[in-house]
Amino acid sequence: MNFQQLRSIREAARCGFNLTEVANVLFTSQPGVSRQIRELEDELGVEIFERNGKRLTGLTEPGKGILHIVERLLLEAENLRQASNEYAGEQSGTLAIATTHTQARYVLPQVVQTFRTAFPQVRIALQQSSPEHIAEWVMSGKADVGIATEGLSQFKELVSFPCYTWSHVVVVPDGHALLALSGPLTLADLAAHALITYDIGFTGRSHIDTAFRSAGLDTDIVLTAMDSDVIQQYVALGLGVGIVASMALEQGRHHGLHAIEASHLFAPNITRLAVRRGAYLRAYTYDFILRFAPELTRADIVAAVNEPLQ
């Protein structure tokens, strides 16, 4: 038994049993992956994968249990490497942070700046994607930390912490009819206009859709984007009314745009930070987490990360 065999098992499950993709991930050949899997199955005396001819089609019942053990072994191997660097007094390394564009653009810069001052030898790798991909990257070990609004608390392999709450804000250009309302903005007021907001799955979009659906209102969402700046740009061009994250406006808005309070219309959003359950975290990783979420303590994080799955 060797680590290459274990990695072949794990990646086969992650890649939907496509051995070509597994070979690409592991920088090897497809026949080499097949051989590693078959050799481990022969050594264990158990079929780990179901097959249709030479194709893998799924996990056998014993294979499902074996996969959990394989994942734990590989996680502990990574923990051992991280611990050895820590105990050797290494202050260098790479902190991989998976996050959304909104967090990377509007919230993280100040945290990253102070972190880099404290740990100048640590390189930061920012990876931006959807919450679903962020969760996958943290679970796979491709990222050390994940930061997003939606979804991170839904994965049992992750430990996530609430960090701060924020709301959505409506933005309109100069002279827009919504600026002349005599009372508070309503969902019906918004639904009467073309809307521009985030892609599905990003930056609290589900709360926006839920609010209109619960009110029985149809919407005309004419344009979506991941980037708050892009949304504001198209609002400035007169394509529609924008719904963006409050922190995007706190960092400044496009010239000629006006913000309208909307926290009473949509449910509040909670930004969460996640790490892998059972992972060994370097000292500088704890430092980064505490800078981003200062209400936490290192003891809180250690206890949560090391708490076994129920």
Side-chain angles (χ1 to χ4, degrees):
M1 184 182 304
N2 58 58
F3 281 112
Q4 190 66 5
Q5 292 171 339
L6 300 181
R7 293 188 187 97
S8 296
I9 298 295
R10 181 183 66 183
E11 295 305 326
R14 286 181 177 173
C15 295
F17 312 107
N18 185 322
L19 295 187
T20 300
E21 289 188 22
V22 176
N24 290 335
V25 170
L26 297 179
F27 302 101
T28 186
S29 66
Q30 183 175 334
V33 171
S34 297
R35 185 178 66 255
Q36 296 285 358
I37 291 173
R38 180 56 74 183
E39 287 177 353
L40 183 58
E41 288 181 321
D42 290 344
E43 181 178 347
L44 297 177
V46 173
E47 293 281 338
I48 297 173
F49 294 100
E50 296 175 344
R51 290 174 170 82
N52 182 359
K54 293 185 178 180
R55 278 195 318 114
L56 303 186
T57 59
L59 287 163
T60 63
E61 282 304 313
K64 293 175 184 177
I66 289 170
L67 177 62
H68 289 307
I69 298 171
V70 166
E71 289 175 334
R72 288 204 305 271
L73 287 170
L74 291 173
L75 175 59
E76 290 301 337
E78 174 61 19
N79 287 345
L80 183 61
R81 186 180 68 82
Q82 295 282 14
S84 65
N85 290 335
E86 190 74 18
Y87 295 136
E90 291 238 3
Q91 292 298 309
S92 61
T94 297
L95 178 61
I97 304 167
T99 189
T100 61
H101 173 85
T102 299
Q103 302 294 332
R105 170 70 176 83
Y106 300 109
V107 182
L108 282 174
Q110 185 175 359
V111 177
V112 169
Q113 185 178 36
T114 60
F115 175 84
R116 281 283 299 151
T117 300
F119 295 91
Q121 293 180 302
V122 176
R123 187 175 72 88
I124 295 177
L126 278 180
Q127 307 164 7
Q128 298 175 51
S129 190
S130 66
E132 181 180 350
H133 287 149
I134 291 167
E136 290 174 358
W137 288 340
V138 177
M139 288 188 292
S140 69
K142 294 179 182 178
D144 302 301
V145 172
I147 300 171
T149 299
E150 300 174 353
L152 294 184
S153 62
Q154 300 174 8
F155 297 88
K156 63 181 181 180
E157 297 91 344
L158 299 180
V159 177
S160 71
F161 306 94
C163 299
Y164 68 92
T165 301
W166 57 272
S167 59
H168 287 103
V169 175
V170 168
V171 289
V172 296
D174 286 334
H176 196 278
L178 290 180
L179 293 173
L181 292 175
S182 58
L185 181 69
T186 69
L187 289 172
D189 293 329
L190 281 178
H193 297 272
L195 301 178
I196 303 174
T197 191
Y198 299 103
D199 289 341
I200 292 174
F202 284 82
T203 321
R205 169 65 188 275
S206 64
H207 287 172
I208 295 171
D209 293 340
T210 297
F212 285 111
R213 186 169 56 249
S214 298
L217 294 170
D218 294 327
T219 55
D220 181 19
I221 298 178
V222 297
L223 189 149
T224 63
M226 294 184 295
D227 186 334
S228 302
D229 288 338
V230 171
I231 293 171
Q232 293 183 67
Q233 181 65 49
Y234 283 97
V235 171
L237 291 174
L239 269 68
V241 172
I243 305 175
V244 299
S246 55
M247 55 271 206
L249 291 209
E250 289 165 6
Q251 298 295 324
R253 67 181 71 102
H254 285 246
H255 179 70
L257 293 186
H258 302 268
I260 301 176
E261 174 65 30
S263 60
H264 59 292
L265 300 180
F266 308 111
N269 303 276
I270 300 175
T271 290
R272 303 185 73 91
L273 181 148
V275 295
R276 275 187 300 174
R277 189 179 299 276
Y280 183 93
L281 304 180
R282 298 285 301 274
Y284 58 70
T285 305
Y286 283 109
D287 184 276
F288 174 84
I289 294 172
L290 295 175
R291 289 175 190 272
F292 187 82
E295 71 280 1
L296 295 175
T297 67
R298 179 162 177 160
D300 294 332
I301 302 166
V302 171
V305 169
N306 293 320
E307 183 179 357
L309 279 171
Q310 299 300 318

